């Protein structure tokens, strides 16, 4: 007794949901091109044709990625804002050695500005135009790793200070 999927089509209704057993593949599309399944350990969404698009159709709403935070609850890691047209990274991001974060699109797939670490050294590489650092307050300070000693300071309105072993030279 209950609502069943009509054999001739139509809408299945009810509040109990649909339960598929582990390792059941939900296949969508004439060629079974989209697959959704759970293997008792992990869950998968596999698209085998074209792009996989996730669309938020609600006006001014977001797409939010959350995960267990290790304490039994969930926390937000990434938000794509429809209202502000911005992407918010809510946690640290780690990029593997030799992989770059690239900005700009005038040089296809290489970006105009690259930031990366090769396993030994770190780089900020500007490929087009000037690398500008606008100063709106005091200036720019370059310090040692724990910020206990200045190495150089570039101050607003022209002053440049260089330091050796913590002393201005």
């Amino acid at each position: 007794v209950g609502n069943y999927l009509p054999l001739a089509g139509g809408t299945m209704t009810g509040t109990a949901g649909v339960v598929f057993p582990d390792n059941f593949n939900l296949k969508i599309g004439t060629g079974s091109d989209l697959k959704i399944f759970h293997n008792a350990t992990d869950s998968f969404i596999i698209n085998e044709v074209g792009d996989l698009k996730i669309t938020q159709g609600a006006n001014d709403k977001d797409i939010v990625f959350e995960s267990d935070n290790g304490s039994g609850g969930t926390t937000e890691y990434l938000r794509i804002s429809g209202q502000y047209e911005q992407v918010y990274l809510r946690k640290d991001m780690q990029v593997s050695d030799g992989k770059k974060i690239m900005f700009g699109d005038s040089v296809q797939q290489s970006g105009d500005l690259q930031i990366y670490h090769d396993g030994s050294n770190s780089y900020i590489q500007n490929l087009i135009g000037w690398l500008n650092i606008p100063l709106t307050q005091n200036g720019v300070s370059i310090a040692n790793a724990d910020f206990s000693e200045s190495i150089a300071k570039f101050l607003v309105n022209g002053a440049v200070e260089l330091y050796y072993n913590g002393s201005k030279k």
Side-chain angles (χ1 to χ4, degrees), residues 22-23 38-42:
D22 289 339
N23 298 307
H38 179 75
N39 68 5
T41 304
D42 299 310

Side-chain angles (χ1 to χ4, degrees), residues 70-130:
S71 66
T74 58
T75 190
E76 182 177 314
Y77 283 74
L78 177 72
R79 177 179 294 262
I80 302 169
S81 172
Q83 181 178 6
Y84 298 110
E85 298 182 7
Q86 294 179 338
V87 176
Y88 299 94
L89 188 61
R90 304 290 193 188
K91 299 293 180 181
D92 292 343
M93 178 175 65
Q94 185 167 342
V95 178
S96 298
D97 289 344
K99 300 301 175 193
K100 300 174 181 178
I101 298 174
M102 296 178 278
F103 301 88
D105 56 11
S106 65
V107 180
Q108 187 175 2
Q109 303 219 355
S110 65
D112 301 329
L113 173 67
Q114 301 177 355
I115 300 175
Y116 60 98
H117 181 78
D118 67 8
S120 299
N121 299 295
S122 299
Y123 302 88
I124 299 174
Q125 186 173 9
N126 186 47
L127 302 175
I128 294 176
W130 288 86

